[in-house]
Amino acid sequence: MAAPGHRGSPLAALAVGVAATVLVSFCVVRPAASQQQQAEDKGEEEAQAQQRYNFRFVRHARDAPLVSHFNYIVVGGGTAGCPLAATLSENSRVLLLERGGYPYGNRNVSSEYHFADALADTSPRSPAQRFVSEDGVVNARARVLGGGSCLNAGFYTRASGEYVRAAGWDARLVNASYRWVEKELVFRPDVPKWQCALREGLLQAGVTPDNGYTLDHVHGTKIGGTIFDSTGRRHTAADFLRSANPGRLTVFLHATVSQILFRHREGSAKPVAYGVVFVDPTGVQHRVYRQGGGKSEVILAAGTLGSPQLLMLSGVGPRGHLEKHGIRAVLDHPMVGQGVADNPMNSVFVPSPVPVTLSLVQIVGVTRFGSFIEGISGSQFGIPLHDRSSRRRSHTFGMFSPMTGQLGALPPSERTPEAMRRAADAMRALDRRAFRGGFILEKILGPLSTGHIELRSTDPRANPAVTFNYFKDPKDVERCVRGIQTIERVVRSRAFSRFTYANATAMDAVFDRAKLANFLNLLPRHPRDTRPLQQYCRDTVMTIWHYHVGCHVGPVVDQDYRVIGVEGLRVVDSSTFKYSPGTNPQATVMMLGRYIGLKIQKEALTGK
């Protein structure tokens, strides 16, 4: 396949994979502090400039008419919903309803250097809505136009060919849809020295072959794409709306859909979805109806939590559970909300004797035993490095910190809000120099362990109750153990030696002084940690925000993503995946929005 061009130019040019013998060519020194500040300032300016894209079709929900009609009603303006709506608008009138706000002009979304701030923001208007699974692991769901692409670490990689075949997708249309996505917002990253050391360390640890730079999902070690450009500015799924037909697309922000409307049509035994009800922030209800007969649909793209939640709120789900909440069952659909999974992630903090440049996920080791190895680095893990005295900000300490809810040093049952506050206060009091280094993490393929989503209330704004059952399947535990063992080999490799302390005594001195061991996971098998690796995996499990299933193909939706048992309704998002694709699902979620949009267009034109 054609690989993207160098970071800073969108995916439009060919690039040749580079062998390990020229590894040094990937090791780019990132901007100095003053240059980073300039890049940050430029990123803010460009983010503000994006508001001048003249998205005149984007409006606030309070300005919506009480009743309206569209061919396609897309619920959820996220990673799948934006490319889906943009594609459908080429030939049809489309309404896109997003419960969150605008991503542009928000530094926490747009700037790589403020990446963790969005996850740490727990305010009512935060683009990240925090939730805690019944397992005790803190997680987040997107609440912003552009969805999870506004919150993630930016890594971009396709699903494997095997995954595409198993999904029953048209490979040619899949590839065309990926290319459409990549032309718009995928870049080739500069790779700083810490990431280069991780890459070579993975190769020395046996995660081979060296695949150079590629967007393909292949075994071995690779450099992937990124949705951050050379200034550190994030590009999101909302950018796809630039390619929409502005005369046929309407987007309402801060529009919370509370119900899908169903009726029984004469001659059909199946309930028919004919519209939705959404509520604006003032509490006013608005109704939207399908218009166009067979060439119109309601399409849910509300994500792994939102889509099954909305189905159940609308009467499609397990009858007994719905009746407990006083909801009349339109269709007894026992598999809605079932099988939900989150890839368990375990991270290891590796302190460095030298300063380390900020970097998000760029390198991945795809092992053959079912674990993916990645890393992020930074002297202060995403803390804004150049606070201006006129607007000081509280430090978030990056994506694996108590501020973002990731307190892996405590077992999940002990990660109370009070414990997270204590850890955050203690970390703020520590010498910043103690935080030099980076995190190496491993994520489980699959996983095999699954759980379920249930309604906690009938409030569509509230998070449902989610149980992931991390590590319930022993095969997942053993994959984690082998992943941690691989991380150990990487850290002790010759390639990574510059970024580790020469001996355990020197490293322990740093941790004893800073008491970091109370908050951050260290490599296991040191004097302070006598747990077997299996228990270490269970005790230090965190999320990597890749949850999926709940409306998966087969039990809930068919191969064309139509909800089984009803008419006029589809689901197009990560809730339809049985397994999370690639090492990061965002590429495939965006591709799926484009792919299904093209399929629907063809069906409307041909009647098939």
Side-chain angles (χ1 to χ4, degrees):
M1 61 160 280
H6 192 271
R7 182 176 183 174
S9 58
L11 182 93
L14 296 177
V16 180
V18 180
T21 54
V22 289
L23 179 65
V24 69
S25 66
F26 287 110
C27 297
V28 179
V29 178
R30 295 292 297 272
S34 60
Q35 292 174 307
Q36 278 192 340
Q37 180 61 66
Q38 292 171 9
E40 180 177 321
D41 291 343
K42 184 176 180 182
E44 288 186 47
E45 291 170 4
E46 291 184 3
Q48 293 168 1
Q50 287 219 22
Q51 295 181 73
R52 299 195 295 270
Y53 281 160
N54 194 22
F55 283 172
R56 61 183 183 273
F57 48 78
V58 178
R59 300 159 58 191
H60 196 288
R62 63 172 173 260
D63 299 324
L66 295 180
V67 177
S68 56
H69 299 79
F70 289 85
N71 301 128
Y72 294 99
I73 305 165
V74 179
V75 180
T79 316
C82 285
L84 173 64
T87 301
L88 291 175
S89 74
E90 294 170 6
N91 297 310
S92 305
R93 293 187 66 244
V94 180
L95 175 65
L96 178 62
L97 297 171
E98 168 53 45
R99 70 193 186 109
Y102 212 50
Y104 304 121
N106 183 339
R107 184 172 64 175
N108 291 354
V109 169
S110 299
S111 173
E112 180 178 16
Y113 309 110
H114 293 272
F115 156 70
D117 292 344
L119 292 171
D121 181 3
T122 57
S123 68
R125 288 302 180 95
S126 170
Q129 183 180 12
R130 182 170 293 185
F131 71 94
V132 182
S133 73
E134 302 303 292
D135 317 270
V137 173
V138 179
N139 211 312
R141 58 189 293 207
R143 182 171 50 190
V144 61
L145 187 68
S149 67
C150 297
L151 304 175
N152 63 26
F155 192 72
Y156 183 98
T157 180
R158 295 183 173 194
S160 67
E162 181 182 5
Y163 191 101
V164 171
R165 288 189 292 273
W169 293 333
D170 178 334
R172 291 183 62 184
L173 190 58
V174 164
N175 288 333
S177 299
Y178 274 128
R179 289 193 297 270
W180 181 84
V181 168
E182 291 152 11
K183 180 181 179 180
E184 182 66 36
L185 85 172
V186 179
F187 304 85
R188 175 172 169 173
D190 294 336
V191 183
K193 292 181 179 180
W194 189 92
Q195 291 280 353
C196 282
L198 172 61
R199 178 174 181 248
E200 193 169 6
L202 281 165
L203 294 171
Q204 291 180 4
V207 186
T208 56
D210 177 7
N211 294 302
Y213 172 67
T214 179
L215 301 182
D216 290 337
H217 183 78
V218 287
H219 288 113
T221 295
K222 58 172 272 190
I223 301 169
T226 179
I227 60 174
F228 288 100
D229 66 22
S230 60
T231 71
R233 181 169 64 87
R234 181 193 296 272
H235 295 248
T236 78
D239 295 1
F240 294 126
L241 299 181
R242 290 185 297 175
S243 64
N245 184 328
R248 292 195 177 116
L249 177 63
T250 299
V251 180
F252 286 127
L253 302 180
H254 305 291
T256 301
V257 176
S258 58
Q259 184 182 6
I260 306 165
L261 299 172
F262 290 98
R263 66 184 175 200
H264 286 277
R265 187 170 60 194
E266 186 176 348
S268 174
K270 297 179 180 179
V272 179
Y274 70 97
V276 304
V277 177
F278 71 90
V279 182
D280 68 32
T282 66
V284 175
Q285 285 193 346
H286 305 256
R287 288 178 174 251
V288 189
Y289 300 112
R290 287 172 49 196
Q291 184 179 57
K295 297 180 181 180
S296 66
E297 294 179 3
V298 175
I299 307 175
L300 301 187
T304 296
L305 270 65
S307 289
Q309 178 186 25
L310 187 53
L311 283 175
M312 288 188 281
L313 288 174
S314 306
V316 178
R319 182 185 298 275
H321 179 60
L322 300 183
E323 290 176 347
K324 287 180 182 178
H325 289 275
I327 300 172
R328 182 181 66 85
V330 173
L331 178 67
D332 183 9
H333 216 316
M335 290 305 293
V336 171
Q338 301 301 305
V340 69
D342 184 25
N343 298 87
M345 186 268 291
N346 297 79
S347 70
V348 171
F349 175 62
V350 185
S352 172
V354 297
V356 177
T357 302
L358 170 68
S359 67
L360 299 180
V361 178
Q362 297 176 343
I363 307 296
V364 62
V366 181
T367 72
R368 294 184 181 277
F369 55 79
S371 183
F372 307 134
I373 315 296
E374 302 173 354
I376 65 168
S377 69
S379 296
Q380 295 159 328
F381 309 121
I383 295 174
L385 301 181
H386 313 289
D387 287 342
R388 300 172 185 175
S389 58
S390 61
R391 52 175 185 175
R392 300 285 293 178
R393 297 170 57 85
S394 60
H395 302 317
T396 62
F397 294 91
M399 92 190 251
F400 301 134
S401 74
M403 293 75 153
T404 64
Q406 305 308 305
L407 195 57
L410 291 177
S413 61
E414 299 176 26
R415 296 174 199 170
T416 63
E418 182 181 357
M420 286 189 285
R421 282 194 296 270
R422 285 199 305 266
D425 290 343
M427 289 179 75
R428 290 188 186 103
L430 294 175
D431 183 349
R432 292 189 188 181
R433 290 174 296 178
F435 290 93
R436 290 175 175 171
F439 288 89
I440 303 178
L441 59 95
E442 63 84 32
K443 161 194 165 182
I444 299 302
L445 171 69
L448 300 176
S449 305
T450 62
H452 55 272
I453 293 175
E454 294 181 331
L455 296 177
R456 199 185 299 275
S457 74
T458 57
D459 184 352
R461 297 165 299 183
N463 289 315
V466 189
T467 303
F468 291 120
N469 287 325
Y470 295 103
F471 293 126
K472 182 178 180 180
D473 191 301
K475 292 181 181 178
D476 288 339
V477 181
E478 292 311 309
R479 286 173 170 175
C480 174
V481 168
R482 296 188 67 178
I484 296 297
Q485 290 170 337
T486 302
I487 292 175
E488 288 183 285
R489 293 197 298 273
V490 170
V491 173
R492 297 187 173 108
S493 69
R494 183 182 69 259
F496 210 73
S497 60
R498 179 188 174 190
F499 297 106
T500 58
Y501 284 89
N503 55 66
T505 302
M507 189 184 77
D508 284 349
V510 173
F511 276 82
D512 288 342
R513 183 179 72 247
K515 296 187 173 65
L516 288 179
N518 293 328
F519 321 120
L520 300 172
N521 298 337
L522 301 175
L523 273 174
R525 296 177 181 169
H526 55 75
R528 289 188 297 272
D529 193 348
T530 59
R531 291 170 292 180
L533 284 180
Q534 288 82 355
Q535 192 61 41
Y536 177 88
C537 287
R538 293 188 174 94
D539 286 349
T540 65
V541 65
M542 294 186 287
T543 184
I544 198 166
W545 302 278
H546 292 173
Y547 45 88
H548 52 285
V549 199
C551 296
H552 46 308
V553 174
V556 180
V557 300
D558 64 19
Q559 290 288 332
D560 293 314
Y561 296 84
R562 296 186 178 93
V563 177
I564 296 170
V566 301
E567 293 183 5
L569 181 63
R570 299 194 205 218
V571 179
V572 182
D573 56 34
S574 58
S575 71
T576 64
F577 296 153
K578 186 175 181 181
Y579 298 110
S580 184
T583 52
N584 184 303
Q586 79 160 332
T588 305
V589 177
M590 290 188 283
M591 179 280 295
L592 186 66
R594 174 66 173 177
Y595 177 88
I596 296 299
L598 292 173
K599 296 269 286 187
I600 292 173
Q601 281 186 343
K602 182 179 178 182
E603 291 171 7
L605 291 172
T606 64
K608 297 181 181 179

